[in-house]
Amino acid sequence: MNLFLITIDGGTTNTRATLWNREYQPVCTAKREVGVRDTAIDGNNQRLKEAVKGLIEELLSGGGVSMGQVSAVYASGMITSNVGLSELPHLNAPASMEDFVKGVRSVSLPEVCPLPIHLIPGLKNLPDEKVTLETLEAMDIMRGEEAEALALLSCIDNRDGCLLVLPGSHTKFVTVDRHGAMTGCLTSLAGEMLSALTQHSIVADAVQRQFVSGACDLAYLTAGFRAARATSCARAAFLVRIANQFITKDQNQCASFLLGAVLENDVSAIRTSRALCVNPKMQVLIAGKEPLKTAIKSLLVEDGYFSKVSAFNPPDEKPLAGYGALLIAKEKGDF
């Protein structure tokens, strides 16, 4: 009997892998600082292939497992893109667990892995032929977050539908109907914008070129949010410099104000973008790491549109993308 499953989560700059046992617990994890950005730079995916091969070997060694004991290998994320291992088309929304299971495709890459690698498709909001300048704002795509979303959905009661928030350099917002189908996604560059302002703008000195450290200062976070809503993100960002000169020299307070100003764009986009279809009854579940998780929760409460806003605090340290891939493998009968 094959007792283990390997999942691979491929990102832009990093690739992560997990070895799972039959109790659906991670036995060991591994990471390489190689991603699809390297493929784009090199013009080929050789470094990515070597990284995935190395990750699989590290998992087997770390878990004291042979490949003969592995039931299957599943992969999600940018590894399924045109700069990944093998390109797999996105599914069109709405898409349920059943659709993702049906959409799995296997590729044979013996130079990377002795077993076929089962690729999980990403999601897009509109069919290709419907994307025009008029419909552009309603379009969005994701690869990898669909697996995270499936993992989160397995942990909650979704009777009224939900909005899942997955913060990061590219924050993803995913709407799910009460039947569990993902109806749309929205991507924000808030993380990159925050990084640029923190490192390469006139307010860099006020925040000492550092993000919020530890807990946010909620008063300054909310003040930045309100300033951006009253005027604009660009204006509120400059107010960080004003606050630093006339109110506070505290780095964390200034960084909290800037974070609130940038995140206001995301909170507004949730309701105004045609990429999502939200309603006030939806449960909002925010995953990710601190301090973004608490910051986004606080600002959504401040906004007041949604009545049920909560942060996801996992009972264990399962990697979400890997666990979502495991759930797909289980439904497909491979684990």
Side-chain angles (χ1 to χ4, degrees), residues 111-134:
E111 71 275 26
V112 176
C113 178
L115 294 178
I117 299 177
H118 302 284
L119 302 178
I120 298 169
L123 183 77
K124 61 182 178 180
N125 289 2
L126 300 173
D128 294 354
E129 65 273 11
K130 292 191 177 181
V131 183
T132 66
L133 285 177
E134 287 69 34

Side-chain angles (χ1 to χ4, degrees), residues 129-290:
E129 65 273 11
K130 292 191 177 181
V131 183
T132 66
L133 285 177
E134 287 69 34
T135 63
L136 182 62
E137 201 285 310
M139 182 56 166
D140 207 279
I141 54 176
M142 64 180 180
R143 290 189 187 271
E145 290 85 5
E146 71 291 327
E148 295 180 56
L150 290 171
L152 287 172
L153 288 172
S154 72
C155 301
I156 64 172
D157 179 0
N158 186 38
R159 69 184 68 183
D160 295 316
C162 62
L163 171 68
L164 305 177
V165 184
L166 304 168
S169 297
H170 299 165
T171 298
K172 295 285 184 179
F173 301 88
V174 184
T175 45
V176 184
D177 67 21
R178 61 188 182 90
H179 303 293
M182 297 178 210
T183 57
C185 58
L186 181 151
T187 307
S188 161
L189 290 183
E192 288 198 37
M193 182 186 298
L194 182 65
S195 178
L197 289 169
T198 300
Q199 303 288 338
H200 306 291
S201 77
I202 197 171
V203 302
D205 180 65
V207 298
Q208 299 174 28
R209 291 178 170 79
Q210 297 177 54
F211 303 111
V212 172
S213 57
C216 285
D217 186 301
L218 294 181
Y220 277 81
L221 177 82
T222 304
F225 175 85
R226 291 173 178 172
R229 177 150 293 186
T231 56
S232 69
C233 177
R235 168 60 179 163
F238 183 76
L239 290 178
V240 175
R241 179 171 170 80
I242 302 298
N244 181 250
Q245 291 196 13
F246 295 96
I247 302 175
T248 180
K249 298 296 183 183
D250 186 279
Q251 182 275 333
N252 207 52
Q253 290 178 337
C254 291
S256 295
F257 189 101
L258 181 61
L259 179 60
V262 171
L263 289 180
E264 193 283 329
N265 282 337
D266 283 0
V267 173
S268 293
I270 292 169
R271 284 196 277 148
T272 60
S273 173
R274 290 179 291 159
L276 300 176
C277 183
V278 299
N279 66 74
K281 293 183 179 180
M282 281 183 162
Q283 175 183 357
V284 180
L285 188 65
I286 306 160
K289 298 179 180 180
E290 298 293 1

Side-chain angles (χ1 to χ4, degrees), residues 264-324:
E264 193 283 329
N265 282 337
D266 283 0
V267 173
S268 293
I270 292 169
R271 284 196 277 148
T272 60
S273 173
R274 290 179 291 159
L276 300 176
C277 183
V278 299
N279 66 74
K281 293 183 179 180
M282 281 183 162
Q283 175 183 357
V284 180
L285 188 65
I286 306 160
K289 298 179 180 180
E290 298 293 1
L292 278 178
K293 184 161 59 176
T294 294
I296 294 172
K297 177 184 175 182
S298 298
L299 296 180
L300 284 170
V301 171
E302 168 75 15
D303 178 66
Y305 179 76
F306 297 101
S307 59
K308 296 181 285 186
V309 181
S310 58
F312 177 67
N313 297 307
D316 49 40
E317 293 301 317
K318 291 177 182 174
L320 284 178
Y323 188 61

